[in-house]
Amino acid sequence: MSERMSAKQAMRKSDGESETGEERVETGLDPRLEALLHGHGGDPFALLGPHATPEGKIRVRAMAQGAEAMALLNEHGKVVALTRCLDPAGLFEAELGTAMRYRLRIAWPSAMQEMDDPYAFGPVLEEAWLHGLVNGDGECARQALGAHRMVHEGVEGVRFAVWAPNAQRVSLVGEFNGWDGRRNPMRLRHAGGVWELFIPGLGAGARYKYEITAGDGTRLPHKADPMARQCELPPATASVVPQAEAFAWTDVEWMAQRAARATTPEPMAVYEVHAGSWRWGGDGQPLDWDGLARELIPYVQWLGFTHIELLPITEYPFGGSWGYQPLGMYAPTARYGSPEGFARFVDACHNAGIGVVLDWVSAHFPNDEHGLERFDGTSLYEHADPREGFHKDWNTLIYNYGRHEVSAYLVGSALEWIERYHIDGLRVDAVASMLYRDYSRAEGEWVPNRHGGRENLEAVEFIKRLNSEVGRRFPGVMMIAEESTAWGGVTLPPELGGLGFTHKWNMGWMHDTLEYMKRDPVHRKHHHSEMTFGMVYAFSERFMLPLSHDEVVHGKGSLLTKMPGDTWQKLANLRAYFGFMWAHPGRKLLFMGGEFGQWDEWNHDAHLDWPLMRVHEHHGLAQLVSDLNARLKEQPALYRNDHMPEGFEWSVGDDHANSVFAFVRHDRDTGAAPVLAVSNFTPMPRYGYRVGVPRAGQWREILNTDSGHYGGSNVGNAGAVTSQAVPMHGHAQSLALTLPPLATIWLKAD
């Protein structure tokens, strides 16, 4: 007996003969069916699945390329029809006497499969979603696109949807169909240029991609899902069907308080982390999310930081980009575990009183063939003209922000992280490159806007829409701009003409002060303004002071090696600098390793030099950072008026000769005690140095970066100084202070 006859017998089993009798081979196949069978053109739902005949019966057609036979089963698993083979390549047809729910039993050469027919189901996407997508609605993009587990017409499965308006054909491929692009062509929803398909019976963990035929008939390399919520571990590039169940969050108290905190001034100090190189486990591999929850969270608690900021974790193909060339804008990278593992990490942070900020890249994307480049055979996500669509600096592609669906894709990503993963803020990377059409371009290499100017008006509108949407839906969530130019109103609300960010990185302050700190103290008097110029514009935006990863890579050296002098002086300089920074107006951000004075510059392929923490001076530096954060939280004057000029007052800003700076921080609203910060950036201690103060009485020394606890020389003011009625710096009272060498001291009025 032949194998084909064996398969046919298996179809009949013990259920009795089918209604249609023996299998036969049709001739003269409809060209539309033949094209569909071989992976070309056609509307699959017009030709496959159940359709009424003129005689009132139901004709069912199904494709199973490579199958030997097929039968139709009723809801009880009984064979109700044997199909006839219309084409030996794998096209089958049967007739039912009446409309009914049926399943397919497919005889493959080495297995038997039972499944619901994907082409027996109606559309899965709501018209409102499609309408919202073409109008730039990020929430509609989230709801409509990607892979979503669901129950459709009473059957569990997964709906897939992808935006590819210029494609001739899109087919779903995956391990469930042998990565065969002929098997599961998708339905085009013309209203949105979206292709959709429901695969019954499919569950979480299934790997998939899209096979796209461009408008000119070119078959593109398989594309990952731009909206995938989970991805394979790189270098593999497939998308993965995620879990449908909602994560069981336990951070109810944190989330309830977050919106209230948005209207109340609070201290903020951020610890910036690259998850893969912070610390490795005993297996010599980076910690996963659960390992980071066990080790990173207690460490950050000890240091006293209020937030952890993660370098980009949106899935990215090239590890050397540190995540700044992402392709999976909706998926946590698989490098550190599952999406559920990441959710557990955020939940643990919140329960430990620590917020989580993500570095988020909406400025560009890489040109990997499985990604967004010419996604449907056209420049869909990017500009076609390289003068608008190609970044020469990074060899990446620039989003076409003027296309509504692209805007929706990016806004939807932001909403996804904030809502699905309870993220407390997004730091938006490379905003300057988004704002200017001539960014890093010579004359003639860029296209002016419609008014002839250099501003990217479409990007501006996208940014405003993004920040407005986040602000409206998620009060208390921060939107932080890495913006390095003098663009006005970055943190001004959009309704007042601004971009709508809540904070802006103060790149000018960072650059100027680091340049000052690199100099030999003997030369610092000639560059005094590098430490004071930031106050000229300090209140023009809501600033964050960043000492970020960008300052400790590419041959720039670590923070410690930037400092001049011998080892003791280097550490003293860095301690003094931290003391100055933490007292200065603006939120604080420090990249990992800087807190204990790592000697080596950051290497993303290694971990931090943790043995240094066993050295007193390096552990002392970390202890200083912990104490700085503790004092920051204790002293309202250091944060309540952080973005307002009434919170700051120079005492000594012009002592070039001695390289001394002194200023007072105020909390004018509550009348809390002012804090005086004095920095001596020379290795010479100064005695009897007089500084004017706004209050009479005793001023207690609450921090001294020269303390022996931190590795310093223990020069100080014996705990407190009493003011004297000696006018100085516009005040009736002044203090005669001892200024330790290369140190910053803080004093608080009692």
Side-chain angles (χ1 to χ4, degrees), residues 335-348:
R335 290 168 173 84
Y336 315 121
S338 67
E340 293 72 34
F342 177 63
R344 288 194 297 272
F345 172 76
V346 176
D347 197 46

Side-chain angles (χ1 to χ4, degrees), residues 390-620:
F390 182 72
H391 261 308
K392 293 195 304 179
D393 289 356
W394 305 311
N395 292 319
T396 53
L397 303 174
I398 301 170
Y399 287 106
N400 183 349
Y401 303 105
R403 184 165 285 158
H404 291 167
E405 295 88 345
V406 174
S407 175
Y409 167 72
L410 292 170
V411 171
S413 168
L415 300 179
E416 182 86 3
W417 291 101
I418 296 167
E419 183 169 72
R420 181 171 181 150
Y421 293 109
H422 291 196
I423 293 303
D424 302 292
L426 297 177
R427 178 266 194 186
V428 183
D429 180 63
V431 172
S433 75
M434 300 168 65
L435 293 175
Y436 298 98
R437 288 174 165 264
D438 64 344
Y439 180 87
S440 197
R441 296 179 188 272
E443 189 66 33
E445 294 180 347
W446 57 282
V447 179
N449 63 32
R450 61 181 177 269
H451 304 303
R454 58 196 285 255
E455 299 82 7
N456 189 331
L457 303 179
E458 294 79 14
V460 170
E461 289 308 308
F462 158 70
I463 290 170
K464 289 181 177 180
R465 181 170 193 165
L466 167 70
N467 289 329
S468 295
E469 184 78 358
V470 171
R472 179 180 64 83
R473 292 188 53 181
F474 303 104
V477 169
M478 296 175 291
M479 296 297 289
I480 305 164
E482 187 219 14
E483 204 287 309
S484 56
T485 75
W487 186 284
V490 172
T491 56
L492 197 66
E495 58 270 23
L496 298 179
L499 295 180
F501 287 100
T502 61
H503 299 82
K504 172 182 172 175
W505 273 22
N506 195 334
M507 310 294 281
W509 177 92
M510 175 274 299
H511 179 270
D512 288 349
T513 58
L514 275 180
E515 285 301 307
Y516 180 89
M517 294 305 302
K518 292 177 188 176
R519 303 184 190 280
D520 188 298
V522 74
H523 301 306
R524 285 174 175 169
K525 61 185 177 182
H526 304 297
H527 304 276
H528 200 75
S529 63
E530 289 175 335
M531 295 295 271
T532 61
F533 183 70
M535 290 311 305
V536 173
Y537 58 87
F539 308 111
S540 61
E541 303 280 4
R542 296 174 63 87
F543 280 121
M544 180 174 287
L545 310 182
L547 293 178
S548 76
H549 66 280
D550 277 330
E551 310 317 313
V552 293
V553 289
H554 300 318
K556 298 176 185 175
S558 68
L559 287 180
L560 187 58
T561 58
K562 294 179 195 294
M563 302 295 120
D566 58 23
T567 297
W568 189 93
Q569 289 179 329
K570 288 179 183 295
L571 286 160
N573 269 295
L574 191 53
R575 292 194 302 267
Y577 184 37
F578 284 169
F580 178 86
M581 172 182 175
W582 255 256
H584 195 284
R587 305 317 198 192
K588 328 301 176 192
L589 179 140
L590 181 64
F591 184 58
M592 64 183 199
E595 76 278 8
F596 62 79
Q598 171 136 330
W599 287 104
D600 295 331
E601 75 172 19
W602 173 52
N603 177 3
H604 71 275
D605 285 328
H607 56 78
L608 297 182
D609 190 3
W610 290 106
L612 280 177
M613 283 288 279
R614 295 195 290 268
V615 178
H616 171 67
E617 291 79 8
H618 291 272
H619 189 277

Side-chain angles (χ1 to χ4, degrees), residues 219-331:
R219 189 69 53 80
L220 304 177
H222 286 174
K223 295 286 190 178
D225 188 350
M227 305 285 289
R229 270 64 176 191
Q230 187 171 348
C231 301
E232 280 190 294
L233 177 66
T237 57
S239 304
V240 178
V241 174
Q243 296 286 343
E245 296 80 9
F247 180 76
W249 292 93
T250 64
D251 62 348
V252 177
E253 183 177 353
W254 172 276
M255 295 297 286
Q257 294 176 354
R258 187 171 69 184
R261 289 196 296 267
T263 58
T264 304
E266 289 200 333
M268 182 178 176
V270 181
Y271 187 60
E272 189 186 32
V273 173
H274 177 256
S277 58
W278 180 71
R279 180 178 287 167
W280 291 358
D283 59 357
Q285 297 297 315
L287 297 174
D288 63 9
W289 292 121
D290 292 324
L292 286 166
R294 288 192 303 270
E295 299 192 29
L296 175 61
I297 291 175
Y299 181 69
V300 170
Q301 283 183 303
W302 173 67
L303 289 174
F305 286 99
T306 61
H307 292 75
I308 294 170
E309 180 174 315
L310 296 170
L311 267 62
I313 62 162
T314 47
E315 192 59 86
Y316 53 99
F318 175 47
S321 76
W322 318 327
Y324 286 98
Q325 295 189 7
L327 282 176
M329 291 293 286
Y330 286 69

